[in-house]
Amino acid sequence: MNVAVGVQATNSVGSLLFSANRGSTSKELILAQTSALNCGSKNLFRHNTLHSKSKVDVVQRMKYCPAISASATESSQTMENAEVETENLGILDVDPSLEPYKDHFEYRVKRYVDQTQLIENYEGGLEQFSQGYLKFGFNREEGSIVYREWAPAAQEAQLIGDFNGWDGSNYKMEKNQFGVWSIRIPDSGGKSIIPHNSRVKFRFKHGNGIWVDRIPAWIKYATVDPSRFAAPYDGVYWEPPPEESYQFQHPRPPKPKAPRIYEAHVGMSSSEPRVNSYREFADDVLPRIKANNYNTVQLMAVMEHSYYASFGYHVTNFFAVSSRSGNPEDLKYLIDKAHSLGLRVLMDVVHSHASNNVTDGLNGFDVGQSSQESYFHTGDRGYHKLWDSRLFNYANWEVLRFLLSNVRWWLEEYRFDGFRFDGVTSMLYHHHGINMGFSGNYNEYFSEATDVDAVVYLMLANRLIYNIFPDATVIAEDVSGMPGLCRPVSEGGVGFNYRLAMAIPDKWIDYLKNKKDEEWSMNEIMLSLTNRRYTEKCVAYAESHDQGIVGDKTMAFLLMDQEMYTGMSCLTEASPIVDRGIALHKMIHFITMALGGEGYLNFMGNEFGHPEWIDFPREGNGWNYDMCRRQWNLLDTDHLRYKFLNAFNRAMNLLDEKFSFLSSSKQIVSSTNEEDKVIVFERGDLVFVFNFHPENTYEGYKIGCDLPGKYRVALDSDALDFGGRGRVGHDVDHFTNPEGIPGVPETNFNNRPNSFKVLSPARTCVAYYRVEDYPDETVATTTIVADSLEEETDGAEDVSPVLKKSAPVEKSAAPSLEDIPSTEKIMVSGQPGDSDCNPSTASDFKISVPLLSSTHFPFVRGYLLV
């Protein structure tokens, strides 16, 4: 979900990655960046005293601090996070530019430490505190069902449902001093009084004497009568007998070096105009994801949401699976099936806001009471005016219990492998990012506008996740680029693994809608893709699921539009529009993956260029499902060109599987030539050449590289099996030539000590690998790159013929590494802990590598409720 409507990111000299003129070489790029950053860092940042130590009084700030758990007791047990120091924060060592904001970091870290200590004292620790679902909601205790609900505003309360004919007069609940209502219902004849899969609700009377019925806040399943239009949801008591309870059979797959994420919506994953099921997705879609060499599935819309068209972001029941696609056991089957295929599963978790619905949502418990007795803030602070939703009070004790337990529930009960936290920007700031421009000025991140309550919650949540599952992947959907968001809690960071690189898809949409091909700037594309903070990982993606919602189009449809209805058949020659569209679709997705981050994400269907747009069934379209599905038949029809895009997507992922370039800290952009429209860069052990020129093919095009030796094609977008023209020879050996004096960049070619020549056709991209590094690899020539790379043969058949006038290649003997030493690797971005690079300098060039700030290219985020 787009987290901040009206958010804009603008340029800031103090945080630019590069500062260079059009057409400049890498030497000019690198030398210019240092002075720009150094000058900016001195003048841009000023001391922030908004959060001084004298203002820290966490216990006084606590709005509500009850302890109802049986394990709530004073404890002398050492805190798990005692290593977090409030004085010597590691995050300041990572980014010294944050020093002026030391008071802010010390303030929020002390808030975190004190909050953790309070939980330790009153609940026995975060472990016990986060198991609220064992106390709240429905639980089996000593031959009885015990139901507990936190509703301090209620005057009287009853439990009603199918089991008592919806008459709660004999099932009155009792209230304790902390506002928790409870009832114990003993079994009868060894059987539960409340049958499995029967409907239940919480009935209570509030201050004005009115009785209302609500779905229990901790309910684990909720359903609606499909035969009744606009029928309200009902809570369902879910306690299946052993023979109906799904038992996991497969362990969690190991954590990959880099996540290649397939973002999917189960409901709209069928090719038929209907809601798909968890089991159908598991059996029919998961094999497609595996075949395309993804290693992670990210599931949207898992938490129950009564409004289907909200894309799952207006959650009504936080512990319940979306009943449209099946029951809890069906979802477990899906996750277990994914694990059996070696796929990790992430879940979209929405803790940034809640549905405004009263009858079936958490908002129904708000009957005008004070904030300390509610899940939400009161007044304007508790309402997101652009999302029409309620906002949590993260300082409230029971809200912390509810949300932290929710995180644990999905990890342990369903064995998810991590989360994508939705709407993090809205959580981080009191203004929620609305109509805000984030320029990279650190004052925008660390001020009174920062919602420290929410920051502390996110720190607690991330610590809890890693305590439960150390190999978890946790991604923040944040558009602001807050420094420290993806640094460990122990350093004073918020603790996420990755941040979504949300500016990248906006940049591509801007180019496709507003610029002619010849107006595309190679420098600007490179800056957009590499503009991320050093040591804070990003997940890059070329197009967002939001961009396909009604009112806009998928990237493929933007490129080819109505030609996709008539021009996608291989039985006829491709029109110029289709030819351009297929070529640019491959290039945009590949360069985004190769240069945009340390992980990659693709939304379901975009891998094969799904046409048109997404439109959920609603009154405005006659409740039609035609635009709320995935047309797999387009991919499966052999004579349609969709297969080429899918094949290239599969090959992109396999390239990372074989060469691990996403996880490599080596990222060097050696050339962004505006006249030629060519970008050349190195990532990991590969050299990439992207020719965006609409017409020019370059023979004998000279590109720089690090190591000397022999290079071959690893992946070629122009291969025939990818819908290309087969102009690049895959059986050609490209030998390097030394360039200048090793270690003296001004004598090198584009600051690289070696070079080789290639053929670079218009609108193509090619990745090259050094044969000496992978002596057992064969030539990658077909769409089934897996076969061509994994099978050791003397030589692979070349199905992509060489252009008749191929570039001359000088096949001189390759210099040895001893004769020509490699330069140190210049880090455009990277992560600590890599032994093959210096995380702060590029020693041969004597240039400091800057600490990068947030995104700063103009774009506007929007969220559309259909």
Side-chain angles (χ1 to χ4, degrees), residues 615-631:
D615 189 5
F616 281 87
R618 55 190 172 87
E619 186 175 5
N621 65 13
W623 305 103
N624 194 302
Y625 284 83
D626 282 344
M627 294 296 181
C628 192
R629 59 190 177 113
R630 296 290 87 177
Q631 299 183 54

Side-chain angles (χ1 to χ4, degrees), residues 710-750:
K710 180 173 65 175
Y711 288 78
R712 285 181 182 167
V713 171
L715 181 60
D716 167 27
S717 70
D718 196 48
L720 293 175
D721 288 302
F722 300 142
R725 301 179 184 177
R727 290 166 287 185
V728 177
H730 297 168
D731 58 353
V732 176
D733 292 331
H734 302 271
F735 290 94
T736 60
N737 286 317
E739 294 291 341
I741 304 171
V744 184
E746 57 267 23
T747 68
N748 297 160
F749 175 74
N750 288 348

Side-chain angles (χ1 to χ4, degrees), residues 756-809:
F756 60 94
K757 294 181 179 181
V758 300
L759 172 68
S760 182
R763 290 195 181 122
T764 65
C765 48
V766 182
Y768 296 88
Y769 72 98
R770 200 173 78 103
V771 175
E772 288 84 347
D773 294 329
Y774 300 89
D776 295 330
E777 300 299 342
T778 59
V779 181
T781 59
T782 70
T783 59
I784 310 175
V785 181
D787 294 338
S788 63
L789 286 181
E790 290 175 359
E791 295 176 4
E792 273 193 36
T793 61
D794 292 333
E797 180 186 358
D798 186 359
V799 300
S800 301
V802 184
L803 189 70
K804 291 181 179 179
K805 293 184 178 180
S806 58
V809 180

